[in-house]
């Protein structure tokens, strides 16, 4: 039985889709953690800012994130097998802005990074990150949902997350 039928109250036709601007307005009031996803690549790595990173399963340890199918980093996700999810903290708004900006080399100065043995880029100064193995890619409208297994977790001391809320980067109070 499909989810639509399972939860249908009556047989009335579905309502028209919510307008994109209204949909965005709803989520402007919902804060989200900010992450940067980086991927190996040649001649340079790829990466993007994501507010969609969520824990998915404890056993096995899985996370998910979404990426637009039109994004410049999508081919690296589609064709790759690994990634690093960096959880940004207070004071790292510049990193979030750099990796959300289109048309620039996100790994040029001032970005500093090192490569793990598998070629995955780890951003300098971001102390909490996850090494991921990409397991599934699921079409979801104009995006793709990536499901990834956590292979390694590095945990930093700063637990003041960078948040995105109402079109602005914010941090939690002390």
């Amino acid at each position: 039985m499909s989810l639509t039928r399972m939860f249908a109250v009556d047989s009335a036709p579905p309502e028209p889709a919510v307008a994109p601007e209204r949909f965005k307005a709803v989520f402007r009031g919902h804060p989200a953690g900010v992450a940067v996803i980086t991927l190996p690549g040649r001649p340079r790595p790829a990466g993007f800012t994501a507010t969609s990173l969520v824990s998915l399963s404890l056993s096995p340890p899985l996370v998910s994130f979404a990426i637009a199918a039109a994004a410049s980093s999508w081919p690296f996700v589609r064709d790759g097998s690994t990634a690093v999810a960096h959880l940004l903290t207070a004071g790292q708004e510049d990193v979030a802005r750099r990796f959300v900006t289109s048309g620039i080399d996100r790994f040029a100065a001032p970005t500093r990074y090192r490569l793990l043995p598998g070629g995955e880029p780890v951003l300098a100064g971001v102390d909490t990150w996850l090494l991921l193995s990409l397991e599934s890619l699921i079409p979801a409208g104009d995006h793709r949902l990536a499901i990834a297994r956590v292979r390694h977790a590095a945990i930093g001391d700063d637990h003041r997350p960078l948040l995105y809320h109402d079109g602005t980067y914010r941090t939690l109070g002390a």
Side-chain angles (χ1 to χ4, degrees), residues 6 19 24 29 40 52 93 131 159 166 170 174:
M6 185 184 317
K24 285 191 228 177
S52 60
E93 181 179 332
L131 175 60
H159 300 290
D166 199 21
R170 304 173 186 270

Side-chain angles (χ1 to χ4, degrees), residues 32-35 37 48-55 64-67 143 145:
V34 181
I37 310 295
F48 60 97
T49 298
T51 57
S52 60
L53 179 70
V54 295
S55 62
S64 67
F65 61 87
I67 181 169
H143 279 61
L145 182 66

Side-chain angles (χ1 to χ4, degrees), residues 34 37 39 41 45 52-53 67 73 82 90 103 119 130 136-137 140 145 150-151 168:
V34 181
I37 310 295
L39 304 113
S52 60
L53 179 70
I67 181 169
S73 295
T82 59
L130 305 168
S136 298
L137 298 173
L145 182 66
V150 177
R151 296 294 181 189
T168 303

Side-chain angles (χ1 to χ4, degrees), residues 49-142:
T49 298
T51 57
S52 60
L53 179 70
V54 295
S55 62
L56 191 58
S57 168
L58 183 60
S59 182
L62 299 173
V63 298
S64 67
F65 61 87
I67 181 169
S72 62
S73 295
W74 163 242
F76 294 85
V77 175
R78 180 194 63 215
D79 300 336
S81 60
T82 59
V84 176
H86 303 79
L87 282 67
L88 302 187
T89 57
Q92 295 180 322
E93 181 179 332
D94 60 327
V95 177
R97 288 190 184 285
R98 187 172 320 114
F99 279 84
V100 79
T101 302
S102 296
I104 66 166
D105 180 352
R106 297 168 182 159
F107 286 88
T111 301
R112 293 180 305 118
Y113 63 97
R114 66 184 170 89
L115 297 179
L116 297 176
E120 301 88 0
V122 175
L123 300 175
V126 182
D127 297 330
T128 301
W129 53 271
L130 305 168
L131 175 60
L132 308 173
S133 293
L134 300 173
E135 294 203 348
S136 298
L137 298 173
I138 303 166
D142 60 356

